[in-house]
Amino acid sequence: MRDEDENQKNPNDSPESPGVSRRDFLKISGISVAVPLVAGPRVIKAAGQEVRVYGPGKVPMEFAINGKNYKANLEPRVTLLDALRDEFELTGAKRVCDRAECGACTVLVDNKPVYACAMLAIEAQHKAITTVESLTRDGKLHPIQQAFVDNDASQCGFCTPGFVVACKAFLDKHPHPTPEDIRRGLSGNLCRCGTYAGIRKAIAQVAQKGA
Amino acid sequence: MRPFEYVSPNTRSQAISLLGASRGNAEILAGGTDLLTLMKDDVVAPKRLINIKGINDLHGVSSNAQGFHIGALTTLGDLADDATVRQNYPALAEALAEAASPQIRNLATLGGNLCQRPRCWYFRNGFGLLPKNETGKELVAEGENRYHAILGNEGPAKFVSPSTLVPILVAYGAKIRLEGPKGKRELPLEKFFVIPKNEGEREHDLRPNEIVTEVVIPPASDVRAAHYEIRQKEIFDWPLAVAGVALKMRGSNVQSARIVMGYVAPVPWPSPEAEQALVGQPINKDTAQRAAEAALTNAKPLSHNAYKVQLARVALRRAILKAASGGVS
């Protein structure tokens, strides 16, 4: 019965209302249960030199995401993907397989596409992280996003943010791709709806016009 | 994923000291594409993760008279784009371009590719590397073994060695360099892989406190080489058979050959039988076929993977013909 309740539309849950969203509720209830215990690194000796050991509890971390600085106290086991989604509300990168297989969590780290689920947040500190949220500027879609719309390249849309980021990285590296380049270059992303034909057309459109 | 402590040393000796002399407590974090998955699935649960990416001299490539040196932390993506690899080791460049996906190649390192754990689904689901039930019966032999070994599977190890790069690296004559508390050692790459006989043994000759430091490939200007993979999916899939071939020719006949199969045994599987069948011969469809037949003569498929014998033969025949024609299939 609980599942049904959760899925029921709350009449107060419109974007205009100041009500508590499900995400906010989960965050608040999380705080009341787990009191975060943050500790600085422990210093131990290895081969005669001092090295810092972090965790297993929460440690302070800093990130550079889409040109902005973010801080959070996280355990070393938190992936970059979970940090983006759960700490910074950057929910464009999707958690689908969480096993480096589907591409829905694709982000750029130092301008290279990677699976955010396959990298620990603690390692991503001080690297330039770019998520799909940075592509839309002043309400105007990025040319790749516009090409997805123009070419009907989304169906359910869940893989789309990962695909858009992967396409951007691909076109930055291969501005004039052959159809074979496109097939290989986008091989790290899966679409269960099968919109590949539209995605290939979208890339070809951007490659022709320039992004 | 279970909690762990995280440390990021800057030197080899720090990393080696932090690893400790026993297995299981600490794991080395390089690209992380395999390790994090194993940790999420609770197949491994280290108390300490040692990120070695801060060790600068394990990154990058260089060339000297011995050959081409690849630092263990060089990513597969950087290696695939490297001009020396493309020019001097084109068959390796092709294997790299076919490995996994662009996103994985940007994280995954060569050292990690060599040390990745087998894809055997019993292992990945927590039944161990040599899975048995309570009565001691081997699970793979009577279970779902369609992707398992057809050679070298007489003992309890029935998984296949998972790297798609190793066959061509071994064919090129690559060596692996390791470093531990007692110093450095070097092995021919094929000797780095061992078939475990008891649960708890690893499939690599890597001691608990050793790290892979580099791979060295000898000069190959007089070598004609090829890599060939058969997969169910066109790309981003674990192959069903891999072949790596390196030929040295005298006139139109083979002077020497190095022939290695992948995804057929718990270790990369060099075939002296196929090499012998080719030496002194010209390369054509008949000689390539005879060599492929010779390589699989001793195959002993399990209950559901006899189809792999023919796929391994085809991969090998095509790789031999491709190598002879200068890497074009």
Side-chain angles (χ1 to χ4, degrees):
Chain A
M1 291 303 104
R2 255 186 77 190
D3 285 348
E4 279 179 25
D5 290 342
E6 273 194 316
N7 289 329
Q8 258 173 18
K9 186 118 177 89
N10 182 339
N12 295 326
D13 205 10
S14 69
E16 291 81 18
S17 87
V20 176
S21 76
R22 230 180 105 190
R23 179 166 294 276
D24 286 337
F25 173 76
L26 289 171
K27 272 181 83 176
I28 297 162
S29 56
I31 290 164
S32 65
V33 178
V35 180
L37 192 72
V38 184
R42 197 156 55 84
V43 176
I44 62 168
K45 287 249 177 181
Q49 288 153 311
E50 293 188 338
V51 291
R52 292 174 183 176
V53 180
Y54 297 90
K58 291 188 176 187
V59 293
M61 298 187 201
E62 284 185 39
F63 303 92
I65 307 167
N66 302 332
K68 286 184 206 155
N69 289 326
Y70 289 81
K71 289 183 183 178
N73 297 319
L74 302 169
E75 291 180 31
R77 64 174 162 165
V78 174
T79 61
L80 173 59
L81 175 63
D82 288 345
L84 291 172
R85 294 181 55 82
D86 299 345
E87 296 295 323
F88 307 134
E89 305 215 354
L90 294 165
T91 54
K94 297 285 182 277
R95 195 181 203 256
V96 178
C97 74
D98 199 30
R99 295 293 185 279
E101 284 166 8
C102 74
C105 68
T106 301
V107 300
L108 306 183
V109 174
D110 290 339
N111 285 320
K112 287 183 179 177
V114 302
Y115 299 136
C117 75
M119 186 179 225
L120 294 174
I122 196 167
E123 297 181 75
Q125 293 184 93
H126 315 299
K127 293 180 191 290
I129 299 160
T130 308
T131 70
V132 71
E133 282 87 352
S134 71
L135 297 185
T136 303
R137 294 269 160 84
D138 305 323
K140 196 169 180 299
L141 293 181
H142 185 278
I144 292 170
Q145 292 170 313
Q146 188 59 52
F148 267 64
V149 176
D150 296 345
N151 292 280
D152 203 10
S154 292
Q155 206 174 102
C156 85
F158 214 72
C159 71
T160 306
F163 254 113
V164 167
V165 175
C167 287
K168 182 186 183 318
F170 171 73
L171 283 167
D172 287 347
K173 197 174 170 186
H174 307 92
H176 306 291
T178 64
E180 179 60 17
D181 290 339
I182 295 174
R183 286 154 59 85
R184 286 185 170 270
L186 271 296
S187 58
N189 293 67
L190 300 179
C191 169
R192 291 301 298 269
C193 307
T195 58
Y196 299 110
I199 293 168
R200 285 199 290 268
K201 277 191 224 159
I203 295 185
Q205 176 186 312
V206 180
Q208 214 169 20
K209 285 187 186 169
Chain B
M1 212 186 310
R2 289 174 192 266
F4 53 82
E5 59 179 36
Y6 174 93
V7 54
S8 192
N10 297 317
T11 67
R12 299 173 184 207
S13 50
Q14 284 175 0
I16 289 161
S17 154
L18 288 163
L19 275 164
S22 64
R23 229 190 267 290
N25 283 327
E27 290 282 351
I28 298 168
L29 174 67
T33 54
D34 188 25
L35 180 62
L36 294 188
T37 295
L38 290 166
M39 288 169 66
K40 287 172 188 176
D41 291 337
D42 213 16
V43 178
V44 298
K47 294 185 178 65
R48 174 184 288 176
L49 223 54
I50 299 162
N51 172 28
I52 57 171
K53 288 191 291 296
I55 305 174
N56 288 332
D57 63 1
L58 295 180
H59 292 265
V61 299
S62 64
S63 294
N64 65 11
Q66 284 178 308
F68 185 59
H69 298 245
I70 308 166
L73 292 176
T74 310
T75 64
L76 303 191
D78 285 345
L79 208 49
D81 290 341
D82 185 85
T84 307
V85 174
R86 287 179 172 213
Q87 201 179 336
N88 298 349
Y89 306 98
L92 174 62
E94 193 176 331
L96 285 160
E98 294 192 9
S101 72
Q103 288 96 324
I104 287 184
R105 293 197 294 273
N106 284 335
L107 290 175
T109 65
L110 182 62
N113 180 275
L114 306 179
C115 294
Q116 66 180 306
R117 308 302 309 275
R119 300 285 145 190
C120 167
W121 42 31
Y122 290 93
F123 172 69
R124 297 270 160 178
N125 281 285
F127 292 93
L129 205 50
L130 314 174
K132 286 181 182 153
N133 71 4
E134 316 78 58
T135 62
K137 200 175 76 176
E138 284 185 19
L139 294 176
V140 177
E142 297 184 36
E144 293 288 348
N145 53 38
R146 78 192 84 152
Y147 299 132
H148 287 78
I150 53 173
L151 284 160
N153 56 7
E154 297 80 8
K158 305 263 190 286
F159 60 86
V160 291
S161 187
S163 168
T164 58
L165 306 178
V166 163
I168 190 62
L169 283 169
V170 171
Y172 273 126
K175 293 182 166 62
I176 186 169
R177 290 185 173 170
L178 313 166
E179 191 167 331
K182 288 178 189 158
K184 300 173 184 183
R185 62 189 179 112
E186 181 183 275
L187 297 171
L189 182 56
E190 64 271 29
K191 302 278 187 212
F192 180 63
F193 301 93
V194 289
I195 301 182
K197 295 193 170 56
N198 300 296
E199 193 65 56
E201 290 174 14
R202 286 270 176 119
E203 68 280 18
H204 303 111
D205 179 10
L206 186 71
R207 291 162 200 157
N209 47 12
E210 275 184 323
I211 56 172
V212 178
T213 58
E214 69 176 1
V215 170
V216 186
I217 320 178
S221 54
D222 58 342
V223 169
R224 292 190 191 181
H227 161 86
Y228 198 91
E229 262 179 61
I230 295 177
R231 290 179 298 261
Q232 203 154 8
K233 272 171 66 187
E234 221 176 308
I235 202 155
F236 200 15
D237 193 8
W238 305 108
L240 301 164
V242 179
V245 171
L247 306 173
K248 285 188 184 174
M249 308 297 286
R250 183 184 289 144
S252 56
N253 289 355
V254 175
Q255 185 188 357
S256 66
R258 196 78 171 105
I259 291 181
V260 187
M261 291 183 283
Y263 272 78
V264 296
V267 289
W269 199 260
S271 176
E273 300 89 349
E275 291 163 9
Q276 249 165 18
L278 286 182
V279 170
Q281 304 289 321
I283 298 288
N284 55 44
K285 278 185 181 170
D286 292 336
T287 54
Q289 179 66 26
R290 274 205 294 277
E293 300 279 353
L296 276 302
T297 308
N298 295 325
K300 288 192 180 62
L302 304 168
S303 52
H304 299 295
N305 67 3
Y307 74 100
K308 284 186 63 169
V309 179
Q310 174 64 3
L311 293 186
R313 255 189 227 119
V314 171
L316 202 46
R317 190 186 68 216
R318 290 183 184 174
I320 292 167
L321 292 170
K322 190 173 162 183
S325 63
V328 186
S329 55

